[in-house]
Amino acid sequence: MADQSRILAVLGPTNTGKTHYAIERMLGYRTGVIGLPLRLLAREVYDKIVAARGPSVVALVTGEERIVPPRVKYWVCTVEAMPEGIGADFVAIDEIQLCADPERGHVFTDRLLRMRGLRETQFLGASTMRSVIASLVPEVEFVPRQRMSDLVYSGSKKIIRMPERSAIVGFSVDNVYAIAEVLRRQKGGAAVVMGALSPRTRNAQVDLYQNGDVDYLVATDAIGMGLNLDIDHVAFSSLTKFDGRRMRQLMPNELAQIAGRAGRGMSHGTFGVTGEAPELTPEIAEAIMEHRFAPIRKLEWRNAALQMGSTGALIASLEQKPADELLARARDSDDLTALRTLSDAPDIRARTTNGNAVKLLWDVCRIPDFRGISQAEHASLLETIFCDMHELGRIPDDWLARQIERIDRTDGDIDTLSKRLAYIRTWTYVAQRKGWVDDETHWRGATRAVEDRLSDALHGALTQRFVDRRTSVLLRRLKQKEAIVAEVNDTGDVTVEGEFVGRLDGFRFVQDKSASGQEAKTLSQASLQALAPHFNLRADRFYNAPDTEIDFTEQGGLMWGKDAVGKLIPGADPMKPGVKVFVDDEAGADVMQKVERRLQHYIDRKIATQFEPLLNVSRDETLTGLARGFGFRMVENMGIIPRGDVADEVKSLEQDARGALRKHGVRFGQFTIFMPLLLKPAPTRLRLVLWGLASNMDDFPEAPPPGLVTVPATTMPQGYYTMAGYRAAGSRAIRIDMLERLADMLRAEDSRGGFEAKADMLSITGMTLEQFADLMEGLGYKAERGEREKVKPVDQIMQEAPGVEPTPETVEDVVEQIEAEGIAPIAEMPEPDAEIPAAIPEMSETEVAPGTPADPIAPSVEPEIFYTFTWAARARRSAPPAGARPEGGRGKPQEERGKPRGKGKPKGGERGPKSNEPKSYAAKPAPKKDRIDPDNPFAAALMGLKKDK
């Protein structure tokens, strides 16, 4: 063939298709080997060749990965892992300009000088290598390649103004993380690519960028090593880097290698700076755009002809200087430093007595320090491995298992996972060495499984920290002007394209509060656009919802289930409030009108139902004159009026007018004119809300808990207790219907001469005697406190006396006793009298002599507290009850409204001095009345009894 044993130098800038050209040439031969600078790039090329030829004929060999099928034809390797002596037809070394790299340059130089294909050899790289290759490899043929697109310098841009499909380059992990965090907040996130990432993590991050989940890539200079990505713009966040020994300025050719990643194929690219990086000088910018750089003059070199007779000979051969002036001895690398350290250890010196031991020691020293720990600690690990290998011929399984088990954890943050991933790379490298472990297949699988788990965990941690999928998805949808799909679940959570964006509270979208800045704007724009159809569907469902699904709050809010959909606002009439709806403007006017109409219908029907008895009064055409006017007063006051406020009007009402109002449920009480049906909890709750609206209150007072007869009388707005159905008296407020029942009881008492509280009075109020006294003072009575001996009832005394049965009091009781015992009482024969002793015995020591005073320690009689209540006609209290505003204070004073009707003077003349003797009470019928008060709650029963008589 015409091209047998050809050596080609395919040189040119980035985006010239050099690697693609080499792959095509290799696949044209029966066998081939290609060496690449990074295992990330090696994996990328491996995947391409597998797609073209299948996995059965393609091998992947890197320091930490080894896939070698039985019928392998094509080897894809890192430059350090390229197999020698296999006689491949084709050999290629990519990024050949790395021959000048201080760290790894000697490896590339060795491949340049010694690796050859049987039929074709290619060196791929920058044009700066032309002269040095021509000098070292005289038979080489140069194949220049031209860039397929333009590369233009665009100056400096802020990160937040970075165009889409941009790669921002940082030269430290901290710098990369900081840039990615800014992009997450402002642009939805960024993918992160660093040389230290495993291929699995790197590929997962690149996929985020390539498939459009994010539009930004933050990377180290690793992307300059042939990684092919769809990048339109490259921005440098710094122009300096740490090269392992010192901080230095990046050379123009290094900048060009990275900037050249912008623009793929025929697409043009741009490059520039950002952050704190200074502007490029015109000379450097022009050199990058025109691909004009100073040629490389010297290559890094290390002797490949190693002497294994002793550690001293090996070190001397590694330190040998090159003979060619184009070559410079490479600086001491980690493997040589480790060899020097270990060769001084006594245990190592004792074992390295032959060439095989020296060769084994050198192989162990070439284990890379992936962990980045101190040289001493790394050397200690290498010593342990060498001693085990020398003594046992392998690394013990149990020791290796413990090392791997300590690393096999996926918890922790990004830094922790990155360290574990670096640690597992050491054992992955060890497992790949032939003959170092017993079961190579097992340990290679075990270390690969741990690396995969850590890689996935690291990818997840990077994505969680630096990618806001929600914002990135929404930005892409908005940019593509596609229909955005929103979903709302039963709890109101809103997801757009599967990402949580907030919740729908009725007809208002409540955005996720974790978003801020540009992210919040994007979220709001996309969410409201996607929710448009949901607003209309929800409005239709709400308009047809039954009243049972709608309710109002104590503060006038209107709820649909758990969602706030509006609030009540004051209307022209207290009984006719308006509504204000809570609907986003983006929902549209139709949705807003539907919600408003439905809420207005709801509150109108609610008032009509709860206040039906009251509204019937205003609609009753048969009411005329004063009755009709009083009915309107009742409507204006929502069914409750303190009697003192309308005392004159009540006096003016004739009995027929009162009777007409009573037919509608109006009760004329001593203290309040009210409608008992409107004292129920539901009307009371609604009345307080309507009253609060009409009074223009900011905070509406809540209704007292239902079922309580009295509540504490705290400081409340004027009129609150009346609207709540209570009357403040003393330190407590009493429900007005129970107050009227109490008033009925008080009518039968002697309010001038004085009376004591009955058990029924305390029972209906649910108060103690002291609380009742405070209540009575609040109602205008005077309460005088007194004490007396507490006299127990006879029944209680008999029950407490041991061995004494109570005597039956009536004939019926005697009969019941006979029936219970089963016998009739028969007189028994009296026992004979006991004989009287002749002499009176002497008094014993324990007997008490007659006339001895009672024991002074004997308990005294328990005192009893009682109150005497009299009408304080001229002793009106000067201040309202403590903690309460006066109720009904706009009418006449209490003494002018009339005192409670009592019996007057007691029969038999004036009452004498109050006696402390025990009193006995007997029930007797109340004074007979000619007519039964229709307001009495037992009126119906009394009328029935009257008819029976």
Side-chain angles (χ1 to χ4, degrees):
M1 294 178 63
D3 58 351
Q4 280 188 339
S5 301
R6 295 179 63 190
I7 300 176
L8 304 178
V10 184
L11 307 178
T14 56
N15 192 26
T16 58
K18 297 185 295 292
T19 306
H20 181 72
Y21 173 72
I23 293 172
E24 283 188 337
R25 294 291 295 175
M26 183 175 70
L27 294 181
Y29 292 100
R30 186 179 59 85
T31 59
V33 179
I34 184 169
L36 300 152
L38 298 174
R39 66 173 183 151
L40 299 176
L41 184 57
R43 167 62 77 167
E44 182 179 307
V45 172
Y46 170 78
D47 292 339
K48 286 182 179 179
I49 299 177
V50 166
R53 290 291 189 268
S56 63
V57 295
V58 187
L60 174 65
V61 181
T62 67
E64 301 98 86
E65 197 167 12
R66 185 180 180 86
I67 303 173
V68 183
R71 298 186 299 110
V72 60
K73 294 182 179 180
Y74 306 106
W75 297 75
V76 181
C77 318
T78 53
V79 173
E80 287 86 349
M82 293 177 72
E84 298 185 42
I86 63 173
D89 292 336
F90 178 90
V91 170
I93 296 93
D94 197 12
E95 305 294 350
I96 194 65
Q97 72 274 6
L98 287 179
C99 288
D101 181 71
E103 293 283 339
R104 305 167 61 203
H106 64 88
V107 179
F108 283 81
T109 302
D110 178 73
R111 303 298 185 258
L112 173 70
L113 298 176
R114 299 193 310 108
M115 293 263 332
R116 297 291 184 268
L118 296 178
R119 302 177 67 181
E120 184 173 338
T121 302
Q122 285 191 13
F123 305 121
L124 316 174
S127 300
T128 53
M129 287 289 292
R130 183 182 179 95
S131 62
V132 71
I133 291 177
S135 299
L136 294 174
V137 187
E139 65 272 28
V140 70
E141 299 177 31
F142 290 101
V143 181
R145 303 284 293 189
Q146 299 298 320
R147 184 177 171 87
M148 293 182 286
S149 62
D150 295 335
L151 186 62
V152 180
Y153 178 62
S154 62
S156 178
K157 286 185 176 67
K158 292 182 178 180
I159 292 178
I160 61 174
R161 299 186 182 279
M162 202 63 59
E164 295 175 356
R165 312 311 294 169
S166 292
I168 303 175
V169 181
F171 295 97
S172 70
V173 173
D174 291 342
N175 188 228
V176 168
Y177 288 171
I179 295 169
E181 180 65 25
V182 171
L183 289 172
R184 186 194 71 81
R185 294 178 180 177
Q186 300 295 333
K187 301 290 187 178
V192 175
V193 174
M194 298 181 290
L197 297 181
S198 67
R200 188 182 182 95
T201 303
R202 172 262 180 189
N203 290 341
Q205 286 291 300
V206 167
D207 285 343
L208 284 176
Y209 177 80
Q210 291 290 82
N211 63 24
D213 283 348
V214 293
D215 282 322
Y216 300 90
L217 180 72
V218 186
T220 60
D221 52 353
I223 65 168
M225 298 298 175
L227 296 181
N228 298 310
L229 303 171
D230 297 328
I231 299 172
D232 295 335
H233 180 76
V234 171
F236 294 94
S237 66
S238 175
L239 299 181
T240 60
K241 67 174 288 187
F242 183 73
D243 64 0
R245 293 191 176 183
R246 61 185 178 86
M247 292 294 297
R248 65 174 179 84
Q249 289 285 333
L250 287 162
M251 301 299 293
N253 63 308
E254 293 176 308
L255 292 172
Q257 185 70 26
I258 301 169
R261 294 302 132 192
R264 304 307 302 164
M266 302 303 295
S267 301
H268 301 307
T270 58
F271 67 99
V273 294
T274 188
E276 298 179 358
E279 287 265 16
L280 295 177
T281 63
E283 294 77 15
I284 293 178
E286 186 176 348
I288 294 173
M289 289 187 287
E290 296 182 0
H291 320 297
R292 292 185 290 102
F293 308 104
I296 294 175
R297 301 297 183 185
K298 285 186 177 292
L299 307 183
E300 298 291 322
W301 177 86
R302 189 168 75 177
N303 185 20
L306 303 181
Q307 303 297 319
M308 298 294 180
S310 65
T311 55
L314 175 59
I315 293 172
S317 63
L318 288 168
E319 293 177 344
Q320 183 178 330
K321 294 182 179 181
D324 197 310
E325 61 180 7
L326 295 177
L327 305 178
R329 190 178 77 84
R331 68 187 187 188
D332 293 347
S333 53
D334 291 341
D335 52 4
L336 179 56
T337 302
L339 177 62
R340 288 198 185 104
T341 302
L342 292 179
S343 64
D344 293 334
D347 199 15
I348 299 296
R349 286 201 304 269
R351 294 175 184 272
T352 53
T353 56
N354 56 61
N356 290 334
V358 173
K359 185 178 184 304
L360 176 61
L361 177 61
W362 175 237
D363 287 341
V364 171
C365 288
R366 293 171 68 187
I367 298 175
D369 184 12
F370 295 114
R371 301 180 298 172
I373 54 180
S374 66
Q375 292 182 358
E377 189 172 351
H378 182 61
S380 176
L381 174 65
L382 298 182
E383 181 178 359
T384 301
I385 294 175
F386 171 76
C387 291
D388 286 339
M389 290 284 297
H390 185 269
E391 181 177 345
L392 304 175
R394 59 176 177 80
I395 296 174
D397 288 349
D398 55 346
W399 181 80
L400 182 57
R402 288 196 301 273
Q403 307 308 309
I404 296 174
E405 184 179 1
R406 288 189 305 176
I407 304 170
D408 191 10
R409 292 173 50 194
T410 57
D411 58 312
D413 57 13
I414 292 174
D415 291 337
T416 301
L417 292 170
S418 297
K419 288 179 181 177
R420 291 189 193 134
L421 200 53
Y423 287 2
I424 196 61
R425 290 180 69 183
T426 298
W427 306 117
T428 302
Y429 183 94
V430 168
Q432 296 297 330
R433 306 282 73 77
K434 190 173 181 62
W436 283 26
V437 292
D438 276 342
D439 189 347
E440 292 178 1
T441 303
H442 166 73
W443 290 114
R444 288 173 183 174
T447 55
R448 176 64 183 274
V450 173
E451 181 175 328
D452 287 349
R453 283 193 289 272
L454 290 171
S455 298
D456 292 340
L458 180 57
H459 168 64
L462 288 169
T463 302
Q464 182 179 8
R465 179 171 173 183
F466 299 124
V467 178
D468 187 337
R469 286 183 177 273
R470 175 180 61 192
T471 305
S472 62
V473 168
L474 297 181
L475 279 171
R476 187 172 68 250
R477 291 294 188 186
L478 289 172
K479 179 177 63 178
Q480 296 170 351
K481 297 183 179 180
E482 297 180 3
I484 302 178
V485 179
E487 294 182 2
V488 184
N489 65 12
D490 295 339
T491 61
D493 291 343
V494 180
T495 55
V496 176
E497 300 295 331
E499 300 294 333
F500 175 75
V501 295
R503 65 183 313 276
L504 201 57
D505 183 1
F507 297 91
R508 292 186 300 184
F509 174 64
V510 181
Q511 187 170 303
D512 181 20
K513 298 188 182 303
S514 64
S516 60
Q518 183 63 38
E519 177 188 0
K521 294 179 181 178
T522 302
L523 201 64
S524 177
Q525 180 184 356
S527 301
L528 291 173
Q529 177 182 327
L531 284 171
H534 285 273
F535 280 130
N536 286 283
L537 291 173
R538 180 167 280 214
D540 291 339
R541 192 165 72 250
F542 175 66
Y543 195 80
N544 295 309
D547 282 356
T548 52
E549 294 183 8
I550 308 173
D551 197 6
F552 64 92
T553 68
E554 304 283 355
Q555 298 300 316
L558 294 170
M559 308 293 293
W560 181 28
K562 295 182 180 180
D563 296 334
V565 291
K567 69 175 183 178
L568 296 174
I569 58 175
D573 188 312
M575 299 287 284
K576 295 179 180 179
V579 297
K580 179 181 179 180
V581 297
F582 298 155
V583 179
D584 283 335
D585 293 338
E586 290 77 6
D590 291 343
V591 172
M592 192 172 297
Q593 290 172 6
K594 278 187 179 180
V595 176
E596 186 175 2
R597 286 199 303 269
R598 182 65 186 88
L599 289 177
Q600 192 66 59
H601 293 165
Y602 162 76
I603 195 61
D604 290 345
R605 281 199 293 267
K606 197 73 173 177
I607 293 173
T609 302
Q610 298 294 342
F611 293 98
E612 182 180 6
L614 184 61
L615 297 176
N616 288 337
V617 174
S618 63
R619 290 192 289 261
D620 188 354
E621 297 294 338
T622 62
L623 292 178
T624 59
L626 293 178
R628 186 170 184 80
F630 196 85
F632 279 111
R633 286 294 301 272
M634 290 293 294
V635 175
E636 289 174 357
N637 289 272
M638 301 183 195
I640 303 176
I641 308 177
R643 184 157 184 155
D645 293 355
V646 290
D648 294 337
E649 296 175 48
V650 173
K651 289 180 180 179
S652 302
L653 286 176
E654 297 179 355
Q655 290 300 322
D656 291 341
R658 294 192 186 191
L661 291 170
R662 288 192 182 103
K663 290 179 181 180
H664 286 287
V666 177
R667 179 176 178 185
F668 291 87
Q670 179 177 331
F671 295 94
T672 314
I673 315 298
F674 64 100
M675 303 181 78
L677 289 176
L678 301 188
L679 298 183
K680 293 182 178 180
T684 298
R685 177 169 169 259
L686 179 57
R687 180 171 53 250
L688 283 172
V689 171
L690 297 178
W691 173 68
L693 282 173
S695 303
N696 293 315
M697 294 183 180
D698 294 330
D699 295 318
F700 300 172
E702 296 182 2
L708 297 183
V709 175
T710 65
V711 294
T714 58
T715 302
M716 284 294 183
Q718 178 72 25
Y720 163 75
Y721 285 109
T722 298
M723 290 294 104
Y726 285 76
R727 180 186 179 92
S731 61
R732 299 186 71 81
I734 183 170
R735 210 169 67 208
I736 58 178
D737 57 337
M738 302 306 289
L739 177 60
E740 296 302 334
R741 288 183 58 185
L742 177 63
D744 291 341
M745 295 180 181
L746 295 178
R747 289 192 186 98
E749 301 296 336
D750 184 2
S751 59
R752 292 184 179 177
F755 62 92
E756 295 184 27
K758 303 295 188 294
D760 289 346
M761 298 178 187
L762 300 180
S763 176
I764 67 169
T765 58
M767 291 180 165
T768 63
L769 184 58
E770 287 75 11
Q771 291 174 334
F772 184 77
D774 180 70
L775 173 73
M776 293 294 285
E777 288 184 336
L779 294 176
Y781 286 83
K782 181 180 179 181
E784 294 183 1
R785 189 176 186 274
E787 291 187 7
R788 62 190 175 205
E789 292 183 1
K790 185 174 183 179
V791 179
K792 297 181 180 179
V794 175
D795 292 346
Q796 184 176 350
I797 295 174
M798 295 300 293
Q799 289 174 5
E800 292 177 355
V804 178
E805 295 294 335
T807 304
E809 296 181 355
T810 64
V811 175
E812 288 78 4
D813 292 339
V814 175
V815 173
E816 289 179 1
Q817 179 178 335
I818 293 172
E819 291 177 353
E821 295 178 358
I823 58 172
I826 302 174
E828 297 180 359
M829 293 295 294
E831 294 183 1
D833 296 335
E835 295 183 359
I836 301 174
I840 297 175
E842 296 182 0
M843 185 172 59
S844 66
E845 295 179 357
T846 59
E847 287 182 304
V848 179
T852 302
D855 188 353
I857 306 178
S860 60
V861 178
E862 181 182 356
E864 178 184 21
I865 306 299
F866 67 96
Y867 284 89
T868 303
F869 301 102
T870 56
W871 176 243
R874 298 297 177 185
R876 186 180 182 186
R877 301 200 307 181
S878 59
R885 297 186 181 180
E887 292 282 350
R890 294 172 297 187
K892 295 183 179 181
Q894 178 70 36
E895 60 269 21
E896 296 182 19
R897 292 201 297 268
K899 58 184 181 298
R901 295 191 297 272
K903 296 179 182 179
K905 296 182 180 180
K907 293 181 180 180
E910 297 293 334
R911 176 174 294 186
K914 189 173 182 67
S915 172
N916 289 331
E917 293 297 325
K919 296 182 180 180
S920 61
Y921 298 93
K924 61 180 179 179
K928 190 171 182 181
K929 299 180 181 178
D930 294 336
R931 58 188 294 274
I932 298 173
D933 185 358
D935 293 333
N936 192 305
F938 303 102
L942 293 173
M943 290 297 293
L945 291 173
K946 187 174 182 181
K947 290 180 180 179
D948 292 341
K949 292 180 180 180

